[in-house]
Amino acid sequence: MAEKKVSLPAKLINGGVAGLVGVTCVFPIDLAKTRLQNQQGARVYSGMLDCLAKTIKMEGYFGMYRGAAVNLTLVTPEKAIKLAANDVFRQKLSKDGKLALWGEILAGCGAGTCQVVVTTPMEMLKIQLQDAGRLAAQRTVAASASATGPTPSLVASRAAQPGTNAPPQPSATRITLELLKTRGLRGLYKGAGATLMRDVPFSMIYFPLFANLNADRHSNPQERAPFLQSFVAGCTAGSVAAVAVTPLDVIKTRLQTLQKGEGEDSYRGIIDCVQRVLKREGPSAFLKGATCRALVIAPLFGIAQGVYFLGIGEHVLGLLG
């Protein structure tokens, strides 16, 4: 079946639905990624499974979805912008239905740049909510170790409350209002440069790789690839791009984390972050959370591309008349 020209509203609906489905499926792994990337010095979590097990033990099952609400709220415009912008740029750069590799890379670059306007505040809020449990776990470890002596690397910036292991319950609304009050709109866009530095290379790798993996080599090049092929292509391209930009994601996560545990570094910018991490933790720190990130991004973009190519947006618009 020849591929139809899809309207921009349909692209936005497809991207939004894809983002909602994908994030719901992989959010707990994303939470583990954030907590593992923020660990400095002695570790509260030894790995992804340990992080998830301790999160469930201390915070309950829904603790794995800390920050999911803000992500689900903003992922619709974020994924819609990303996927739709890439398609629009590809159409503009195509000649006679063909797009050179440089055009694919440039389209991905444009898509990554466009999404940052939504991605930065979304990630900023999500990271604060996701990391609250890690700081609470540090306070718990510090409190339990107080009888035998302090454990400086595991002591958070606030003393543990005696008699309780309950982590603090910050909300996205409270964090947003506090940032706007103390830092203005710029507070919500802290780490925008690092976000751009991560998302542009990711999109420049992901979209050309996906397009080539998803191309139907055995029939008319204008025909739409099968659903399974789109899903596998999205998973493969997503995991490759995710691992490739993990060091940039570590930098972005560290810069956007506002509350630090005692003895944990704060950073003045991208260069200062790179220098401090290298000096204190070594080059391997830039690969923290790489496995989690691949496990998040692969199914996220597999689901996204699968839903996108199912054409849900077209069906919704058709039902609306």
Side-chain angles (χ1 to χ4, degrees), residues 10 13 311-321:
I13 293 172
I312 291 177
E314 296 94 306
H315 293 300
V316 171
L317 291 177
L319 291 173
L320 295 175

Side-chain angles (χ1 to χ4, degrees), residues 15-317:
V17 171
L20 289 173
V21 174
V23 166
T24 302
C25 293
V26 301
F27 192 84
I29 306 175
D30 184 64
L31 178 137
K33 177 208 71 105
T34 297
R35 293 186 177 185
L36 290 172
Q37 287 183 337
N38 269 331
Q39 287 193 136
Q40 301 179 39
R43 299 183 300 174
V44 175
Y45 312 112
S46 60
M48 180 185 71
L49 295 178
D50 182 58
C51 178
L52 293 176
K54 288 179 178 176
T55 297
I56 293 173
K57 182 178 180 180
M58 291 189 64
E59 305 168 54
Y61 174 80
F62 290 106
M64 295 192 298
Y65 283 87
R66 182 77 64 84
V70 67
N71 212 33
L72 289 171
T73 300
L74 295 178
V75 75
T76 299
E78 187 223 21
K79 285 292 177 286
I81 290 170
K82 186 185 189 80
L83 295 174
N86 180 68
D87 269 7
V88 170
F89 284 125
R90 288 179 69 89
Q91 288 177 7
K92 297 293 183 183
L93 294 169
S94 295
K95 290 185 178 180
D96 301 322
K98 297 180 179 180
L99 184 63
L101 179 60
W102 68 265
E104 293 181 347
I105 294 173
L106 194 59
C109 177
T113 302
C114 289
Q115 77 172 82
V116 169
V117 67
V118 176
T119 303
T120 303
M122 178 184 76
E123 295 259 315
M124 180 71 178
L125 296 172
K126 182 193 73 170
I127 285 171
Q128 314 317 314
L129 297 170
Q130 287 181 328
D131 205 41
R134 181 185 68 89
L135 295 175
Q138 287 182 331
R139 291 193 291 273
T140 300
V141 171
S144 64
S146 60
T148 57
T151 308
S153 58
L154 291 179
V155 179
S157 56
R158 290 180 294 176
Q161 297 297 321
T164 179
N165 288 335
Q169 299 290 333
S171 70
T173 302
R174 188 186 310 160
I175 294 170
T176 300
L177 292 175
E178 185 175 343
L179 284 172
L180 289 174
K181 181 179 179 181
T182 59
R183 308 187 187 189
L185 188 60
R186 190 170 65 176
L188 285 174
Y189 281 86
K190 180 179 173 62
T195 305
L196 193 66
M197 190 174 70
R198 179 199 66 174
D199 288 348
V200 169
F202 177 92
S203 295
M204 291 171 70
I205 296 169
Y206 172 79
F207 283 112
L209 182 56
F210 169 78
N212 283 277
L213 291 173
N214 195 50
D216 194 339
R217 309 291 185 188
H218 306 293
S219 60
N220 189 323
Q222 293 301 313
E223 289 187 355
R224 175 171 292 189
F227 171 84
L228 182 59
Q229 183 177 343
S230 293
F231 177 81
V232 173
C235 287
T236 304
S239 60
V240 171
V243 172
V245 302
T246 293
L248 304 174
D249 187 58
V250 171
I251 295 169
K252 182 201 73 68
T253 300
R254 294 286 183 92
L255 288 174
Q256 288 189 316
T257 302
L258 299 177
Q259 185 180 350
K260 306 286 187 178
E262 186 175 321
E264 293 183 350
D265 283 333
S266 295
Y267 311 102
R268 294 190 298 272
I270 294 172
I271 296 176
D272 181 57
C273 180
V274 172
Q275 291 174 338
R276 287 174 179 266
V277 171
L278 279 174
K279 182 178 179 180
R280 180 170 178 174
E281 303 169 64
S284 63
F286 289 109
L287 292 177
K288 284 184 176 181
T291 301
C292 290
R293 184 162 166 76
L295 290 174
V296 168
I297 299 297
L300 180 61
F301 276 87
I303 292 167
Q305 292 295 356
V307 172
Y308 197 70
F309 276 82
L310 281 175
I312 291 177
E314 296 94 306
H315 293 300
V316 171
L317 291 177

